[in-house]
Amino acid sequence: MKSNKYLRIFIILFLLALNIGCDQLSKSIVRHKVQYYDRIYFFHKQTYITHVENTGAFLGVGDSLTGSARTILLNLLPLIAVLYGLYFILTRRDLDRITLLGLILIVGGGIGNLYDRIVHGLVTDFLFVNFGLFQTGIFNIADMSIMAGVFMILIHSFFQKKKDEAETNLSNDNF
């Protein structure tokens, strides 16, 4: 049983490292190969890569903060959140695989952006997608990871709730 515990921890840490590594590698490539605000277009100009440095959080929220408010809201609180998230995913053995993977993606993305903010003082963003009526802001792999993790958990929870309701209705019909 102990080997299963260590294997689980190894897999979690491996997935986190892979997630953070992909994020940091992509940001490093953009920092070194793409000039600020240049655009490299893909998919009939629906998607492009650019180089933007974000001094705030998601979509620049909090970029005008200064001093201790900035440190607390953009560094300290996210640090506490990712440390708690890391503790949570490493110690909770009752999480189903989809929820666990979603949480790994959220924590990994959080660590990737927090690392940038602490080491570089800002976060490198570089992806933009135009879906016609819907356009994204400029984002990075860590942001994608966080959003994918949130969507995985929400969709899984929705279908799990529907499944539980169906099973409850089925068991109630048997009486």
Side-chain angles (χ1 to χ4, degrees), residues 1 24 29 34 43 47 67 74 77 86 102 122 130 137 140 148 162 167:
M1 279 302 191
Q24 290 301 306
I29 291 169
V34 180
F43 306 116
T47 302
L74 296 180
L77 289 179
L86 185 59
L122 40 78
N130 180 353
N140 59 46
K162 292 287 185 191
E167 288 174 0

Short mmCIF file of all heavy atoms in Angstrom, two decimals, residues 1 24 29 34 43 47 67 74 77 86 102 122 130 137 140 148 162 167:
data_model
loop_
_atom_site.label_atom_id
_atom_site.label_comp_id
_atom_site.label_asym_id
_atom_site.label_seq_id
_atom_site.Cartn_x
_atom_site.Cartn_y
_atom_site.Cartn_z
N MET A 1 0.81 -1.21 0.00
CA MET A 1 0.00 0.00 0.00
C MET A 1 0.85 1.27 0.00
O MET A 1 0.47 2.24 -0.60
CB MET A 1 -0.93 0.03 1.23
CG MET A 1 -2.16 -0.80 1.07
SD MET A 1 -3.05 -0.21 -0.36
CE MET A 1 -4.54 -1.03 -0.19
N GLN A 24 6.60 27.38 -18.64
CA GLN A 24 7.82 28.17 -18.56
C GLN A 24 8.63 28.11 -19.85
O GLN A 24 9.21 29.12 -20.27
CB GLN A 24 8.67 27.72 -17.37
CG GLN A 24 8.06 28.08 -16.02
CD GLN A 24 7.85 29.58 -15.87
OE1 GLN A 24 8.77 30.37 -16.04
NE2 GLN A 24 6.62 29.97 -15.55
N ILE A 29 10.55 30.94 -24.68
CA ILE A 29 10.67 31.06 -26.13
C ILE A 29 10.12 32.40 -26.59
O ILE A 29 10.76 33.11 -27.38
CB ILE A 29 9.97 29.89 -26.85
CG1 ILE A 29 10.72 28.58 -26.59
CG2 ILE A 29 9.81 30.16 -28.34
CD1 ILE A 29 9.97 27.33 -27.01
N VAL A 34 10.26 36.52 -29.72
CA VAL A 34 9.20 37.38 -30.24
C VAL A 34 9.37 38.78 -29.67
O VAL A 34 9.47 38.95 -28.45
CB VAL A 34 7.80 36.81 -29.88
CG1 VAL A 34 6.69 37.71 -30.43
CG2 VAL A 34 7.64 35.39 -30.40
N PHE A 43 -3.98 30.09 -38.52
CA PHE A 43 -5.40 29.77 -38.74
C PHE A 43 -6.17 30.94 -39.34
O PHE A 43 -7.15 31.41 -38.76
CB PHE A 43 -6.07 29.27 -37.46
CG PHE A 43 -5.36 28.13 -36.81
CD1 PHE A 43 -4.81 28.27 -35.54
CD2 PHE A 43 -5.21 26.92 -37.46
CE1 PHE A 43 -4.13 27.24 -34.93
CE2 PHE A 43 -4.53 25.88 -36.85
CZ PHE A 43 -3.99 26.03 -35.59
N THR A 47 -5.88 33.37 -34.91
CA THR A 47 -5.04 33.17 -33.72
C THR A 47 -3.69 33.81 -33.99
O THR A 47 -3.20 33.76 -35.11
CB THR A 47 -4.84 31.66 -33.47
OG1 THR A 47 -6.11 31.05 -33.30
CG2 THR A 47 -3.99 31.40 -32.25
N GLY A 67 2.82 48.83 -3.90
CA GLY A 67 3.25 48.57 -2.54
C GLY A 67 2.75 47.27 -1.96
O GLY A 67 2.71 46.24 -2.62
N LEU A 74 -1.18 40.01 -5.31
CA LEU A 74 -0.63 39.36 -6.49
C LEU A 74 0.44 38.32 -6.19
O LEU A 74 0.77 37.51 -7.06
CB LEU A 74 -0.08 40.40 -7.47
CG LEU A 74 -1.11 41.35 -8.06
CD1 LEU A 74 -0.44 42.34 -9.01
CD2 LEU A 74 -2.23 40.61 -8.76
N LEU A 77 -1.30 36.09 -1.51
CA LEU A 77 -2.54 35.29 -1.57
C LEU A 77 -2.44 34.16 -2.60
O LEU A 77 -2.82 33.03 -2.29
CB LEU A 77 -3.74 36.18 -1.84
CG LEU A 77 -4.16 37.09 -0.68
CD1 LEU A 77 -5.36 37.95 -1.08
CD2 LEU A 77 -4.46 36.30 0.57
N LEU A 86 -1.60 22.47 -3.42
CA LEU A 86 -0.60 21.39 -3.48
C LEU A 86 -0.78 20.43 -2.30
O LEU A 86 -0.81 19.21 -2.48
CB LEU A 86 0.81 21.99 -3.48
CG LEU A 86 1.96 21.02 -3.65
CD1 LEU A 86 1.84 20.25 -4.95
CD2 LEU A 86 3.28 21.78 -3.60
N GLY A 102 -7.97 17.94 -12.76
CA GLY A 102 -8.38 19.35 -12.84
C GLY A 102 -7.66 20.20 -11.82
O GLY A 102 -7.19 21.30 -12.12
N LEU A 122 6.54 40.23 -13.39
CA LEU A 122 5.38 40.29 -14.28
C LEU A 122 5.19 38.93 -14.93
O LEU A 122 6.02 38.04 -14.76
CB LEU A 122 5.59 41.37 -15.36
CG LEU A 122 6.98 41.51 -15.97
CD1 LEU A 122 7.28 40.48 -17.00
CD2 LEU A 122 7.12 42.89 -16.54
N ASN A 130 -9.37 34.52 -31.80
CA ASN A 130 -10.58 35.19 -32.23
C ASN A 130 -11.56 34.14 -32.71
O ASN A 130 -11.34 33.51 -33.74
CB ASN A 130 -10.26 36.18 -33.35
CG ASN A 130 -11.47 36.92 -33.84
OD1 ASN A 130 -12.60 36.64 -33.46
ND2 ASN A 130 -11.25 37.88 -34.72
N GLY A 137 -8.71 37.56 -24.35
CA GLY A 137 -7.63 38.49 -24.07
C GLY A 137 -6.34 37.76 -24.42
O GLY A 137 -6.37 36.62 -24.89
N ASN A 140 -1.63 32.92 -21.59
CA ASN A 140 -0.48 32.03 -21.70
C ASN A 140 -0.90 30.59 -21.37
O ASN A 140 -2.07 30.33 -21.09
CB ASN A 140 0.66 32.51 -20.79
CG ASN A 140 0.26 32.59 -19.34
OD1 ASN A 140 -0.36 31.68 -18.79
ND2 ASN A 140 0.60 33.70 -18.69
N ALA A 148 -8.69 25.11 -18.14
CA ALA A 148 -9.01 23.71 -18.46
C ALA A 148 -9.34 22.95 -17.19
O ALA A 148 -10.29 22.15 -17.16
CB ALA A 148 -7.84 23.06 -19.19
N LYS A 162 -25.85 14.72 -12.26
CA LYS A 162 -26.91 14.11 -13.07
C LYS A 162 -26.94 12.59 -12.86
O LYS A 162 -28.00 11.99 -12.73
CB LYS A 162 -26.70 14.41 -14.56
CG LYS A 162 -26.91 15.85 -14.91
CD LYS A 162 -28.37 16.19 -14.86
CE LYS A 162 -28.59 17.60 -15.34
NZ LYS A 162 -29.93 18.09 -15.09
N GLU A 167 -29.45 7.83 -10.37
CA GLU A 167 -29.37 6.67 -9.49
C GLU A 167 -30.34 6.78 -8.32
O GLU A 167 -30.96 5.79 -7.93
CB GLU A 167 -27.94 6.50 -8.97
CG GLU A 167 -26.97 6.02 -10.03
CD GLU A 167 -25.53 6.00 -9.57
OE1 GLU A 167 -25.25 6.37 -8.39
OE2 GLU A 167 -24.67 5.61 -10.37
#
